[in-house]
Amino acid sequence: MKERIVSGMRSTGKLHLGHYLGVIDNWVKLQNEYESYFFVADWHALTTKYDKTENLRQDVNDVVIDWLASGIDPEKSTIYVQSLVPEIAELNVYLSMITPQNWVERDPTLKDMAKILRSKGEEGLNSQISYGLMGYPVLMSADIMALNAQKVPVGIDQVAHIEITRDIARRFNNIYKTDFFNEPTPLLNKCSLICGLDGNKMGKSFNNDIKISDSEEVTTKKIMTAITDTNRVRKDDLGNPENCLVAFKYWQIFGSEEEIALTDKECRAAERGCAQCKRELARIINERFAPIREKRRYYEEHPELVREIIQNGSARARGKIQEVVGQVREIIGMY
Ligand code: TRP
Ligand code: SF4
């Protein structure tokens, strides 16, 4: 029997290369080895965007289209939408009862989110931390435990949340004198983190990202703005790739060994200017994403197909989750 994995992403709309390299690429490989469940966390999106729901449906579709285009295969993996499985919310209620308040207050990721919200203070309503946002790690635990998964493939930023999930699972087992729940562990990928075009963390709200769905023209234009060795003002100044904090980093992610070595050499000898270097880099990135973008266009032109994949996957996930939550009701002793 294969081990089961589950992971999700908030419905933030079109995904960027950070999502692709940091998470999705890993899922694509894992789906061959594990019984895999991947879902769009639209309730989690509501924890901070409850007052901006006009694009919610499109955002969910865009995330799923990016997954499908990237190679998540609905024949191998179950793709679903969190809010189409209401039993997750039921499990969230049970877990909320047994989770000590100070466990969620201690959660470092939540502390960061609260800090960001407060820094946007002038936006009024949204700077308040809601009861639902406090419950973020409990809801995430419900997502994972609803499938009684053994492993959770996530980026390093989510590991603290999985720790809480383990604690909650153990506490449930202790309280109800059972060994029903697994204590899930994070499954980290080995990929290098891609920074944004300005050298900071890549993120939609920082305006420094390249989207999976960007056209070749847009990608090239964006790459041309990537920071380079700032000491290199003129083309015949000798360059130093070690000081080239974005463009050369991208080369190291997307180039072949020979391409990286050649870039390094020509940069140091001033045999290549930064504009030419980045044009070349853009070409390589565009080549890598060409098949993904073509597949993406296909799904965009067939929204009924995407809807069907979501409906079928959600029904399948729901069936499995109803079994698990049914057993939980039994274990607790509900009516
Ligand atoms: N919090 C995760 C993120 O922001 C998304 C998420 C929600 C998740 N529920 C999950 C990830 C359960 C793994 C398992 O990326
Ligand atoms: Fe960076 Fe390329 Fe310019 Fe060198 S030539 S500084 S590697 S962009």
Side-chain angles (χ1 to χ4, degrees):
M1 270 259 292
K2 283 184 182 176
E3 277 193 309
R4 191 176 300 152
I5 58 173
V6 60
S7 193
M9 267 185 203
R10 273 176 293 164
S11 43
T12 50
K14 297 192 168 102
L15 303 174
H16 54 63
L17 302 197
H19 293 117
Y20 178 81
L21 296 166
V23 183
I24 305 171
D25 203 28
N26 196 31
W27 292 359
V28 171
K29 294 183 192 111
L30 293 170
Q31 68 182 344
N32 297 315
E33 295 163 49
Y34 292 91
E35 185 190 334
S36 305
Y37 289 84
F38 302 120
F39 69 97
V40 185
D42 52 350
W43 283 330
H44 279 103
L46 280 189
T47 59
T48 53
K49 295 213 326 185
Y50 50 82
D51 58 345
K52 294 190 195 69
T53 52
E54 54 295 343
N55 297 324
L56 204 68
R57 260 185 223 135
Q58 191 51 46
D59 285 348
V60 170
N61 284 332
D62 277 330
V63 169
V64 171
I65 290 175
D66 277 329
W67 289 355
L68 293 168
S70 302
I72 304 290
D73 179 349
E75 302 285 318
K76 294 181 188 162
S77 301
T78 303
I79 296 173
Y80 62 105
V81 173
Q82 186 183 37
S83 67
L84 292 178
V85 187
E87 288 77 9
I88 295 170
E90 184 184 347
L91 183 56
N92 181 53
V93 170
Y94 301 136
L95 300 184
S96 303
M97 302 306 165
I98 66 163
T99 304
Q101 185 175 332
N102 64 2
W103 287 11
V104 293
E105 283 169 351
R106 270 201 312 255
D107 179 26
T109 315
L110 208 64
K111 278 188 182 161
D112 285 348
M113 288 175 84
K115 211 185 296 165
I116 293 168
L117 281 182
R118 270 195 300 273
S119 71
K120 294 185 191 160
E122 68 284 0
E123 281 175 44
L125 258 189
N126 238 342
S127 66
Q128 300 247 328
I129 297 159
S130 70
Y131 172 59
L133 179 59
M134 281 311 291
Y136 194 107
V138 183
L139 181 56
M140 212 168 132
S141 302
D143 293 327
I144 298 164
M145 291 166 65
L147 285 154
N148 207 0
Q150 282 102 342
K151 300 228 168 71
V152 192
V154 284
I156 187 93
D157 58 317
Q158 299 295 319
V159 169
H161 285 143
I162 316 289
E163 279 304 314
I164 296 188
T165 305
R166 295 169 59 78
D167 290 342
I168 294 176
R170 192 177 313 126
R171 190 169 162 87
F172 182 97
N173 288 347
N174 282 334
I175 290 172
Y176 299 109
K177 304 194 175 35
T178 174
D179 56 4
F180 180 68
F181 278 120
N182 295 308
E183 289 180 27
T185 51
L187 205 56
L188 290 171
N189 58 349
K190 295 162 211 77
C191 100
S192 47
L193 212 60
I194 188 170
C195 61
L197 294 158
D198 56 2
N200 298 313
K201 185 179 179 210
M202 186 177 277
K204 178 185 183 176
S205 48
F206 308 133
N207 233 328
N208 65 358
D209 66 352
I210 301 171
K211 302 260 195 284
I212 296 173
S213 52
D214 279 339
S215 67
E216 300 201 343
E217 294 70 38
V218 170
T219 304
T220 306
K221 232 184 243 157
K222 285 184 175 176
I223 292 285
M224 296 314 279
T225 71
I227 58 169
T228 58
D229 176 358
T230 44
N231 296 328
R232 200 175 172 203
V233 186
R234 277 164 301 135
K235 197 177 151 188
D236 44 357
D237 292 340
L238 299 184
N240 182 356
E242 282 154 44
N243 296 333
C244 179
L245 296 182
V246 178
F248 193 69
K249 288 262 155 52
Y250 283 13
W251 269 111
Q252 289 174 314
I253 294 172
F254 295 104
S256 66
E257 239 167 82
E258 298 81 64
E259 286 164 337
I260 299 167
L262 187 67
T263 303
D264 186 284
K265 173 184 156 287
E266 292 187 350
C267 174
R268 288 179 196 279
E271 286 164 2
R272 148 176 355 183
C274 290
Q276 183 204 341
C277 186
K278 290 197 278 189
R279 249 193 311 276
E280 185 65 13
L281 173 65
R283 192 181 60 74
I284 281 169
I285 294 177
N286 282 330
E287 241 169 47
R288 162 97 178 253
F289 285 95
I292 291 175
R293 287 167 171 167
E294 195 183 313
K295 223 168 144 191
R296 200 182 190 291
R297 272 193 297 278
Y298 174 80
Y299 284 111
E300 243 170 4
E301 286 158 12
H302 295 84
E304 70 293 344
L305 193 58
V306 177
R307 214 171 314 127
E308 192 184 310
I309 289 169
I310 291 176
Q311 295 298 347
N312 289 346
S314 298
R316 195 155 72 206
R318 191 171 183 194
K320 186 72 222 167
I321 288 171
Q322 278 171 336
E323 268 174 45
V324 173
V325 177
Q327 278 169 289
V328 169
R329 292 180 68 106
E330 199 62 39
I331 290 168
I332 299 177
M334 300 311 293
Y335 187 73

